[in-house]
Amino acid sequence: MLNIASLGIGAVTFVLALFAFIPFLGWANWFLIPMALVGLVLGVLSRSTMGRNVNIFVLIVCFVRLSLGGGIF
């Protein structure tokens, strides 16, 4: 059950992270990173690793986007 919640949070966060790739919307990643961290915690608590891996991928995408925009853009 925790894995399904983790996958759901990861999927929603990833879709929102795709919108944050639009120029001048990079600041949205600051709100998406805590969401992905909650999904990561749920994924760690579950038996399966897929939810955890999805949220790790989303975190990497968000951090790369923040580094490209200098943390703001």
Side-chain angles (χ1 to χ4, degrees):
M1 189 67 178
L2 290 175
N3 191 43
I4 294 171
S6 177
L7 282 170
I9 291 171
V12 169
T13 306
F14 182 68
V15 170
L16 293 173
L18 290 178
F19 287 117
F21 265 94
I22 297 172
F24 301 110
L25 290 179
W27 55 267
N29 286 309
W30 289 109
F31 298 105
L32 297 175
I33 289 173
M35 286 176 56
L37 286 174
V38 169
L40 180 64
V41 168
L42 291 177
V44 167
L45 294 175
S46 70
R47 288 186 212 169
S48 182
T49 61
M50 186 156 186
R52 181 195 66 195
N53 293 342
V54 167
N55 285 293
I56 289 172
F57 176 73
V58 171
L59 282 170
I60 291 170
V61 167
C62 288
F63 281 125
V64 167
R65 173 60 177 100
L66 279 175
S67 69
L68 290 175
I72 298 173
F73 301 109

Coordinates of all heavy atoms in Angstrom, one line a residue:
M1 N 0.8 -1.2 0.0 CA 0.0 0.0 0.0 C 0.9 1.3 0.0 O 0.5 2.2 -0.7 CB -0.9 0.0 1.2 CG -1.9 1.0 1.2 SD -3.1 0.7 -0.1 CE -4.2 2.0 0.1
L2 N 1.9 1.2 0.8 CA 2.8 2.4 0.8 C 3.5 2.6 -0.6 O 3.8 3.7 -1.0 CB 3.9 2.3 1.9 CG 3.4 2.4 3.3 CD1 4.5 2.1 4.3 CD2 2.8 3.7 3.6
N3 N 3.8 1.5 -1.3 CA 4.4 1.6 -2.6 C 3.5 2.3 -3.6 O 3.9 3.1 -4.4 CB 4.9 0.2 -3.1 CG 5.7 0.4 -4.3 OD1 6.6 1.2 -4.3 ND2 5.5 -0.5 -5.2
I4 N 2.2 2.0 -3.5 CA 1.2 2.6 -4.4 C 1.1 4.1 -4.1 O 1.1 4.9 -5.1 CB -0.1 1.9 -4.3 CG1 -0.1 0.5 -4.8 CG2 -1.2 2.7 -5.1 CD1 -1.3 -0.3 -4.5
A5 N 1.1 4.5 -2.9 CA 1.1 5.9 -2.5 C 2.4 6.6 -3.0 O 2.3 7.7 -3.5 CB 0.9 6.1 -1.0
S6 N 3.5 5.9 -2.8 CA 4.8 6.5 -3.3 C 4.8 6.6 -4.8 O 5.3 7.7 -5.3 CB 5.9 5.6 -2.8 OG 7.2 6.0 -3.3
L7 N 4.3 5.7 -5.5 CA 4.2 5.8 -7.0 C 3.3 6.9 -7.4 O 3.6 7.6 -8.3 CB 3.8 4.5 -7.6 CG 4.8 3.4 -7.7 CD1 4.1 2.1 -8.1 CD2 5.9 3.7 -8.7
G8 N 2.2 7.1 -6.7 CA 1.3 8.1 -7.0 C 1.9 9.5 -6.8 O 1.8 10.4 -7.7
I9 N 2.5 9.7 -5.7 CA 3.2 10.9 -5.4 C 4.3 11.2 -6.4 O 4.4 12.3 -6.9 CB 3.7 10.9 -3.9 CG1 2.6 11.0 -3.0 CG2 4.6 12.1 -3.7 CD1 3.0 10.8 -1.5
G10 N 5.0 10.2 -6.7 CA 6.1 10.3 -7.7 C 5.6 10.7 -9.1 O 6.2 11.5 -9.8
A11 N 4.5 10.1 -9.5 CA 3.9 10.4 -10.8 C 3.4 11.8 -10.9 O 3.7 12.5 -11.9 CB 2.8 9.4 -11.1
V12 N 2.7 12.2 -9.9 CA 2.2 13.6 -9.9 C 3.3 14.6 -9.8 O 3.3 15.6 -10.5 CB 1.2 13.8 -8.7 CG1 0.9 15.2 -8.5 CG2 0.0 13.0 -8.8
T13 N 4.3 14.3 -9.0 CA 5.4 15.2 -8.9 C 6.2 15.3 -10.2 O 6.7 16.4 -10.6 CB 6.4 14.8 -7.7 OG1 5.6 14.7 -6.5 CG2 7.5 15.8 -7.5
F14 N 6.4 14.2 -10.9 CA 7.1 14.2 -12.2 C 6.4 15.0 -13.2 O 7.0 15.8 -14.0 CB 7.3 12.8 -12.7 CG 8.1 12.7 -13.9 CD1 9.4 13.0 -14.0 CD2 7.5 12.3 -15.1 CE1 10.1 13.0 -15.1 CE2 8.2 12.2 -16.3 CZ 9.5 12.6 -16.3
V15 N 5.0 14.9 -13.3 CA 4.3 15.7 -14.2 C 4.4 17.1 -13.9 O 4.6 18.0 -14.9 CB 2.8 15.2 -14.2 CG1 1.9 16.2 -15.0 CG2 2.6 13.8 -14.8
L16 N 4.3 17.5 -12.7 CA 4.5 18.9 -12.3 C 6.0 19.4 -12.6 O 6.2 20.5 -12.9 CB 4.2 19.1 -10.8 CG 2.7 18.9 -10.5 CD1 2.5 19.0 -9.0 CD2 1.8 19.9 -11.2
A17 N 6.9 18.5 -12.4 CA 8.3 18.8 -12.7 C 8.5 19.1 -14.2 O 9.4 19.9 -14.6 CB 9.3 17.7 -12.2
L18 N 7.8 18.4 -15.0 CA 7.9 18.7 -16.5 C 7.4 20.1 -16.8 O 8.0 20.7 -17.7 CB 7.0 17.7 -17.3 CG 7.6 16.2 -17.3 CD1 6.6 15.3 -18.1 CD2 9.0 16.2 -17.9
F19 N 6.4 20.6 -16.1 CA 5.9 21.9 -16.3 C 7.0 22.9 -15.8 O 7.1 24.0 -16.3 CB 4.6 22.2 -15.6 CG 3.4 21.6 -16.4 CD1 2.7 20.6 -15.8 CD2 3.1 21.9 -17.6 CE1 1.6 20.0 -16.4 CE2 2.1 21.4 -18.3 CZ 1.3 20.4 -17.7
A20 N 7.7 22.5 -14.8 CA 8.7 23.4 -14.2 C 9.9 23.6 -15.1 O 10.8 24.4 -14.9 CB 9.2 22.9 -12.9
F21 N 10.0 22.8 -16.2 CA 11.1 23.0 -17.2 C 10.8 24.2 -18.1 O 11.7 24.6 -18.8 CB 11.2 21.7 -18.1 CG 12.3 20.8 -17.6 CD1 12.0 19.7 -16.7 CD2 13.6 21.0 -17.9 CE1 12.9 18.9 -16.2 CE2 14.6 20.2 -17.4 CZ 14.2 19.1 -16.6
I22 N 9.6 24.7 -18.1 CA 9.3 25.9 -18.9 C 10.1 27.1 -18.3 O 10.2 27.2 -17.0 CB 7.8 26.2 -18.8 CG1 7.0 25.1 -19.4 CG2 7.5 27.6 -19.5 CD1 5.5 25.2 -19.3
P23 N 10.7 27.9 -19.1 CA 11.5 29.0 -18.6 C 10.7 29.9 -17.6 O 9.6 30.1 -17.8 CB 11.9 29.8 -19.8 CG 11.9 28.8 -20.9 CD 10.8 27.8 -20.6
F24 N 11.4 30.3 -16.6 CA 10.9 31.2 -15.5 C 9.9 30.4 -14.6 O 9.3 31.1 -13.7 CB 10.2 32.4 -16.0 CG 11.1 33.3 -16.8 CD1 11.0 33.4 -18.2 CD2 12.2 33.9 -16.2 CE1 11.9 34.2 -18.9 CE2 13.1 34.7 -16.9 CZ 12.9 34.8 -18.3
L25 N 9.8 29.1 -14.7 CA 9.0 28.3 -13.7 C 9.8 27.4 -12.9 O 9.3 26.5 -12.3 CB 7.9 27.6 -14.5 CG 6.8 28.4 -15.1 CD1 5.8 27.4 -15.8 CD2 6.0 29.2 -14.0
G26 N 11.1 27.6 -13.0 CA 12.1 26.7 -12.2 C 11.9 26.8 -10.7 O 12.2 25.9 -10.0
W27 N 11.4 28.0 -10.3 CA 11.1 28.1 -8.8 C 10.2 27.1 -8.3 O 10.2 26.8 -7.1 CB 10.6 29.5 -8.5 CG 9.4 29.9 -9.3 CD1 9.4 30.5 -10.5 CD2 8.1 29.6 -9.0 NE1 8.1 30.7 -11.0 CE2 7.3 30.1 -10.0 CE3 7.4 29.0 -7.9 CZ2 5.9 30.0 -10.0 CZ3 6.1 28.9 -7.9 CH2 5.3 29.4 -9.0
A28 N 9.3 26.5 -9.1 CA 8.3 25.5 -8.7 C 9.0 24.3 -8.2 O 8.4 23.5 -7.4 CB 7.4 25.2 -9.9
N29 N 10.3 24.0 -8.6 CA 11.0 22.9 -8.1 C 11.2 22.9 -6.6 O 11.3 21.9 -6.0 CB 12.3 22.7 -8.8 CG 12.1 22.2 -10.2 OD1 11.5 21.2 -10.5 ND2 12.7 22.9 -11.2
W30 N 11.3 24.1 -6.0 CA 11.5 24.2 -4.6 C 10.2 23.7 -3.8 O 10.3 23.3 -2.7 CB 11.7 25.7 -4.2 CG 13.0 26.2 -4.6 CD1 13.3 27.1 -5.6 CD2 14.3 25.8 -4.0 NE1 14.7 27.2 -5.7 CE2 15.3 26.5 -4.7 CE3 14.7 24.9 -3.0 CZ2 16.7 26.3 -4.4 CZ3 16.0 24.7 -2.7 CH2 17.0 25.4 -3.4
F31 N 9.1 23.7 -4.5 CA 7.9 23.1 -3.9 C 7.8 21.6 -4.2 O 7.1 20.8 -3.5 CB 6.6 23.8 -4.4 CG 6.6 25.2 -3.9 CD1 6.9 26.2 -4.9 CD2 6.4 25.6 -2.6 CE1 6.9 27.6 -4.5 CE2 6.4 26.9 -2.2 CZ 6.7 27.9 -3.2
L32 N 8.4 21.2 -5.3 CA 8.3 19.8 -5.8 C 9.3 18.9 -5.0 O 9.0 17.7 -4.8 CB 8.5 19.7 -7.3 CG 7.5 20.4 -8.1 CD1 7.9 20.3 -9.6 CD2 6.1 19.8 -7.9
I33 N 10.4 19.4 -4.6 CA 11.4 18.6 -3.9 C 10.8 18.1 -2.6 O 11.0 16.9 -2.3 CB 12.7 19.4 -3.7 CG1 13.4 19.6 -5.1 CG2 13.6 18.8 -2.7 CD1 14.6 20.5 -5.1
P34 N 10.2 18.8 -1.8 CA 9.6 18.2 -0.6 C 8.5 17.2 -0.9 O 8.4 16.2 -0.1 CB 9.0 19.4 0.2 CG 9.7 20.6 -0.3 CD 10.0 20.3 -1.7
M35 N 7.7 17.4 -1.9 CA 6.8 16.4 -2.3 C 7.5 15.1 -2.7 O 7.0 14.0 -2.3 CB 5.9 16.8 -3.5 CG 4.9 17.9 -3.2 SD 4.0 18.5 -4.6 CE 3.3 17.0 -5.3
A36 N 8.5 15.1 -3.4 CA 9.3 13.9 -3.8 C 9.9 13.3 -2.6 O 10.1 12.1 -2.6 CB 10.3 14.3 -4.9
L37 N 10.4 14.1 -1.7 CA 10.9 13.5 -0.4 C 9.9 12.7 0.4 O 10.2 11.7 0.9 CB 11.6 14.6 0.4 CG 12.9 15.2 -0.1 CD1 13.3 16.4 0.7 CD2 14.0 14.1 -0.1
V38 N 8.7 13.2 0.4 CA 7.6 12.5 1.1 C 7.4 11.2 0.4 O 7.2 10.1 1.0 CB 6.3 13.3 1.2 CG1 5.1 12.5 1.6 CG2 6.5 14.5 2.1
G39 N 7.3 11.2 -0.9 CA 7.2 10.0 -1.7 C 8.4 9.0 -1.5 O 8.2 7.8 -1.4
L40 N 9.5 9.6 -1.4 CA 10.7 8.8 -1.1 C 10.7 8.1 0.2 O 11.0 6.9 0.3 CB 12.0 9.6 -1.2 CG 13.3 8.9 -1.0 CD1 13.6 7.9 -2.1 CD2 14.4 9.9 -1.0
V41 N 10.2 8.8 1.2 CA 10.1 8.2 2.6 C 9.1 7.1 2.5 O 9.3 6.0 3.1 CB 9.7 9.3 3.6 CG1 9.3 8.6 4.9 CG2 10.9 10.2 3.8
L42 N 8.0 7.3 1.9 CA 7.0 6.2 1.7 C 7.5 5.0 1.0 O 7.2 3.9 1.3 CB 5.7 6.7 1.1 CG 4.9 7.7 1.9 CD1 3.7 8.2 1.0 CD2 4.4 7.1 3.1
G43 N 8.3 5.3 -0.1 CA 8.9 4.2 -0.9 C 10.0 3.4 -0.1 O 10.1 2.2 -0.2
V44 N 10.7 4.1 0.8 CA 11.6 3.4 1.7 C 10.9 2.5 2.7 O 11.4 1.4 3.0 CB 12.6 4.4 2.4 CG1 13.4 3.8 3.5 CG2 13.5 5.1 1.4
L45 N 9.8 3.0 3.2 CA 9.0 2.2 4.2 C 8.3 1.0 3.6 O 8.0 0.1 4.3 CB 8.0 3.1 4.9 CG 8.6 4.2 5.8 CD1 7.5 5.0 6.3 CD2 9.5 3.6 6.9
S46 N 8.1 1.0 2.2 CA 7.4 -0.2 1.6 C 8.4 -1.3 1.3 O 9.6 -1.1 1.3 CB 6.7 0.3 0.3 OG 7.6 0.6 -0.7
R47 N 7.9 -2.4 0.9 CA 8.7 -3.6 0.6 C 9.3 -3.5 -0.8 O 10.4 -3.9 -1.1 CB 7.9 -4.9 0.7 CG 7.6 -5.3 2.1 CD 7.0 -6.6 2.1 NE 6.0 -6.7 3.2 CZ 5.1 -7.6 3.4 NH1 5.0 -8.6 2.5 NH2 4.3 -7.6 4.4
S48 N 8.5 -2.9 -1.7 CA 9.0 -2.8 -3.1 C 9.9 -1.6 -3.3 O 9.8 -0.6 -2.5 CB 7.8 -2.7 -4.0 OG 8.2 -2.6 -5.4
T49 N 10.7 -1.6 -4.3 CA 11.6 -0.5 -4.5 C 11.2 0.4 -5.7 O 11.9 1.5 -5.9 CB 13.0 -1.0 -4.8 OG1 13.0 -1.8 -6.0 CG2 13.5 -1.9 -3.7
M50 N 10.2 0.1 -6.4 CA 9.8 0.9 -7.5 C 9.4 2.4 -7.2 O 9.8 3.3 -7.8 CB 8.7 0.3 -8.3 CG 8.4 1.0 -9.6 SD 7.7 -0.1 -10.8 CE 7.6 0.9 -12.2
G51 N 8.6 2.5 -6.1 CA 8.2 3.9 -5.7 C 9.4 4.7 -5.3 O 9.5 5.9 -5.5
R52 N 10.3 4.0 -4.5 CA 11.5 4.7 -4.1 C 12.3 5.2 -5.3 O 12.8 6.3 -5.4 CB 12.3 3.8 -3.2 CG 13.6 4.4 -2.7 CD 14.6 3.4 -2.2 NE 15.0 2.6 -3.3 CZ 15.6 1.4 -3.2 NH1 15.9 1.0 -2.0 NH2 16.0 0.8 -4.2
N53 N 12.5 4.3 -6.3 CA 13.3 4.6 -7.5 C 12.7 5.8 -8.3 O 13.4 6.6 -8.8 CB 13.5 3.4 -8.3 CG 14.3 2.4 -7.6 OD1 15.0 2.7 -6.7 ND2 14.3 1.1 -8.1
V54 N 11.4 5.8 -8.4 CA 10.7 6.9 -9.2 C 10.9 8.2 -8.5 O 11.2 9.2 -9.1 CB 9.2 6.6 -9.3 CG1 8.4 7.8 -9.8 CG2 8.9 5.4 -10.2
N55 N 10.8 8.2 -7.2 CA 11.0 9.5 -6.5 C 12.5 9.9 -6.5 O 12.7 11.1 -6.5 CB 10.5 9.4 -5.0 CG 9.0 9.4 -5.0 OD1 8.4 10.4 -5.3 ND2 8.3 8.3 -4.7
I56 N 13.4 9.0 -6.5 CA 14.8 9.4 -6.6 C 15.0 10.0 -8.0 O 15.7 11.0 -8.1 CB 15.7 8.2 -6.4 CG1 15.7 7.8 -4.9 CG2 17.1 8.5 -6.8 CD1 16.4 6.5 -4.6
F57 N 14.4 9.5 -9.0 CA 14.5 10.0 -10.3 C 14.0 11.4 -10.4 O 14.5 12.3 -11.0 CB 13.9 9.1 -11.4 CG 13.9 9.6 -12.8 CD1 15.0 9.7 -13.5 CD2 12.7 10.2 -13.3 CE1 15.1 10.2 -14.8 CE2 12.7 10.7 -14.6 CZ 13.9 10.7 -15.3
V58 N 12.8 11.6 -9.8 CA 12.2 12.9 -9.8 C 13.1 13.9 -9.0 O 13.2 15.1 -9.5 CB 10.8 12.9 -9.2 CG1 10.2 14.2 -8.9 CG2 9.8 12.0 -10.0
L59 N 13.6 13.5 -7.9 CA 14.5 14.4 -7.2 C 15.7 14.8 -8.1 O 16.2 16.0 -8.1 CB 15.0 13.8 -5.9 CG 14.0 13.8 -4.8 CD1 14.5 12.9 -3.6 CD2 13.8 15.2 -4.3
I60 N 16.3 13.9 -8.8 CA 17.4 14.2 -9.7 C 17.0 15.1 -10.7 O 17.7 16.1 -11.0 CB 18.0 12.9 -10.3 CG1 18.7 12.0 -9.2 CG2 19.0 13.2 -11.4 CD1 19.1 10.6 -9.6
V61 N 15.8 14.9 -11.3 CA 15.4 15.9 -12.4 C 15.2 17.3 -11.8 O 15.6 18.2 -12.4 CB 14.0 15.3 -13.0 CG1 13.3 16.4 -13.8 CG2 14.3 14.1 -13.8
C62 N 14.6 17.4 -10.6 CA 14.4 18.7 -10.0 C 15.7 19.4 -9.7 O 15.9 20.6 -9.9 CB 13.5 18.5 -8.7 SG 11.8 18.2 -9.1
F63 N 16.7 18.6 -9.1 CA 18.0 19.2 -8.8 C 18.7 19.6 -10.0 O 19.4 20.7 -10.0 CB 18.8 18.3 -7.9 CG 18.4 18.2 -6.5 CD1 18.1 17.0 -5.9 CD2 18.3 19.4 -5.8 CE1 17.7 17.0 -4.6 CE2 17.9 19.4 -4.4 CZ 17.6 18.2 -3.8
V64 N 18.6 18.9 -11.1 CA 19.3 19.2 -12.4 C 18.7 20.5 -12.9 O 19.4 21.4 -13.3 CB 19.3 18.1 -13.4 CG1 19.7 18.6 -14.8 CG2 20.2 17.0 -12.9
R65 N 17.4 20.6 -12.9 CA 16.7 21.8 -13.4 C 17.0 23.0 -12.6 O 17.2 24.1 -13.1 CB 15.2 21.6 -13.4 CG 14.3 22.8 -13.7 CD 14.7 23.3 -15.1 NE 13.8 24.4 -15.5 CZ 14.2 25.7 -15.4 NH1 15.4 26.0 -14.9 NH2 13.4 26.6 -15.7
L66 N 17.1 22.8 -11.2 CA 17.5 24.0 -10.4 C 18.9 24.4 -10.7 O 19.2 25.6 -10.7 CB 17.4 23.6 -8.9 CG 16.0 23.7 -8.4 CD1 15.9 23.2 -6.9 CD2 15.5 25.1 -8.4
S67 N 19.8 23.5 -10.9 CA 21.2 23.8 -11.2 C 21.3 24.5 -12.6 O 22.2 25.4 -12.7 CB 22.1 22.6 -11.1 OG 21.8 21.7 -12.2
L68 N 20.5 24.1 -13.5 CA 20.5 24.8 -14.8 C 20.0 26.2 -14.7 O 20.5 27.1 -15.5 CB 19.7 24.0 -15.8 CG 20.2 22.7 -16.3 CD1 19.2 22.0 -17.2 CD2 21.5 22.9 -17.0
G69 N 19.1 26.5 -13.9 CA 18.5 27.8 -13.8 C 19.1 28.7 -12.7 O 18.6 29.7 -12.4
G70 N 20.2 28.2 -12.0 CA 20.8 28.9 -11.0 C 20.0 29.0 -9.7 O 20.2 29.8 -8.9
G71 N 19.1 28.1 -9.5 CA 18.3 28.0 -8.3 C 17.0 28.8 -8.3 O 16.2 28.6 -7.4
I72 N 16.8 29.6 -9.3 CA 15.6 30.4 -9.3 C 14.8 30.2 -10.6 O 13.6 29.9 -10.6 CB 15.9 31.9 -9.2 CG1 16.6 32.1 -7.8 CG2 14.7 32.7 -9.3 CD1 17.1 33.5 -7.6
F73 N 15.5 30.4 -11.7 CA 14.8 30.3 -13.0 C 14.8 28.9 -13.5 O 14.3 28.6 -14.5 CB 15.4 31.3 -14.0 CG 15.4 32.7 -13.5 CD1 16.5 33.3 -13.1 CD2 14.2 33.4 -13.4 CE1 16.5 34.6 -12.7 CE2 14.1 34.7 -13.0 CZ 15.3 35.3 -12.6

